[in-house]
Amino acid sequence: MTTTVSTHHRKRLSIIIPTLNEAESIERQLTALLGLWVCGVEIIVVDGGSQDATVALAQRHASRVITSEPGRARQMNLGARASCGEQLLFLHADTHLPCRADRKIAQALEGSRCWGRFDIQLSGEQSMLGVIAICMNWRSRLTGIATGDQALFMTRAAFEAVNGYPDQPLMEDIEISKRLKQLSQPACLRAKVVSSGRRWENDGLWPTMLLMWRLRYRYWRGEDCHQLAEEYRHAR
């Protein structure tokens, strides 16, 4: 599915939210985005076949809800191509933006940078989540590689120049970061998005950390991302 949008009707920013069985968080997420929607930000939810009430809940608040084959990269690409914005923000359903994120993104993309991400804060009961977030932010700042939890944003021109997200089941955020770095260094905003630490707490902080580092290392070595995705699903 491809949607062509007249440039005369394009908005400044489009937020694309991929979902799959996110009924517990999607309504809270979209309610938090109402202030941006009122300011003219387009909000598109792309659902990958949820078996719960995600779609019904999203239809109450989103500018548009699209159904897609499952796969986060596939869903985000579909949402981007159906959107109107000259700037694109890819947001996880359990990640919440800082105040006036639209202005922060616009300012970050005014100069030579064509993409970027936010710093991250992990919500949860365990204090170690704060240390993990600090490490994620510093690693990202040093390497120029962002994770999806950090809410990647970019100009539409940059998205199209790298042909969007690679259609792969894992590490799509790392791969698009590598490609975008060929266009410019990222704008690393110190304003924080707040992302749920549920994965870390449910699966265990240290096991999750070791799993992610091991998978990243193996991906860096060139191992097949489909095999890594199978191991990730099995481990979880």
Side-chain angles (χ1 to χ4, degrees):
M1 173 181 174
T2 302
T3 301
T4 302
V5 181
S6 169
T7 55
H8 296 293
H9 296 90
R10 283 199 168 164
K11 296 177 180 291
R12 180 71 168 178
L13 176 67
S14 294
I15 299 176
I16 294 95
I17 307 173
T19 58
L20 182 63
N21 297 324
E22 292 286 356
E24 291 186 9
S25 60
I26 190 60
E27 193 165 29
R28 184 167 59 254
Q29 170 66 284
L30 294 175
T31 300
L33 295 173
L34 281 176
L36 293 177
W37 179 79
V38 169
C39 293
V41 173
E42 181 182 41
I43 301 170
I44 295 181
V45 172
V46 188
D47 189 74
S50 292
Q51 300 301 306
D52 59 12
T54 298
V55 171
L57 292 171
Q59 287 173 336
R60 300 177 186 175
H61 304 291
S63 306
R64 186 174 179 187
V65 178
I66 303 171
T67 56
S68 164
E69 294 182 8
R72 181 174 284 165
R74 193 171 301 164
Q75 291 170 239
M76 292 189 292
N77 285 338
L78 182 62
R81 291 174 183 132
S83 68
C84 300
E86 294 290 355
Q87 299 167 350
L88 306 173
L89 169 64
F90 299 93
L91 185 66
H92 290 184
D94 61 356
T95 299
H96 295 273
L97 296 171
C99 181
R100 291 316 308 258
D102 56 335
R103 291 183 180 176
K104 293 177 172 62
I105 290 170
Q107 291 170 359
L109 299 178
E110 279 179 353
S112 61
R113 309 293 173 101
C114 64
W115 72 289
R117 55 74 172 165
F118 292 86
D119 271 0
I120 189 172
Q121 174 183 334
L122 294 172
S123 65
E125 299 297 324
Q126 300 194 41
S127 58
M128 188 64 184
L129 289 171
V131 177
I132 293 171
I134 290 172
C135 292
M136 290 173 65
N137 294 331
W138 275 107
R139 180 195 66 209
S140 176
R141 191 164 271 108
L142 290 171
T143 63
I145 300 295
T147 66
D149 289 333
Q150 292 174 300
L152 274 78
F153 56 84
M154 63 200 71
T155 64
R156 179 175 294 276
F159 176 84
E160 293 175 350
V162 299
N163 294 316
Y165 281 88
D167 190 8
Q168 58 189 60
L170 195 68
M171 308 293 180
E172 75 285 342
D173 46 3
I174 292 177
E175 190 59 36
I176 196 172
S177 293
K178 290 164 60 178
R179 298 179 184 183
L180 287 166
K181 278 180 66 178
Q182 297 178 20
L183 304 179
S184 81
Q185 288 297 308
C188 298
L189 303 189
R190 294 193 180 277
K192 291 183 174 63
V193 295
V194 179
S195 186
S196 172
R198 62 184 176 177
R199 177 187 65 185
W200 302 85
E201 293 185 323
N202 291 343
D203 298 340
L205 297 181
W206 289 109
T208 301
M209 192 183 310
L210 292 173
L211 172 65
M212 296 310 298
W213 275 105
R214 185 168 67 250
L215 293 176
R216 285 174 184 274
Y217 173 70
R218 292 171 61 188
Y219 183 74
W220 174 77
R221 290 188 59 192
E223 294 191 34
D224 181 64
C225 62
H226 294 84
Q227 176 62 34
L228 297 179
E230 284 296 320
E231 294 186 26
Y232 176 66
R233 282 191 287 268
H234 177 74
R236 295 197 65 191

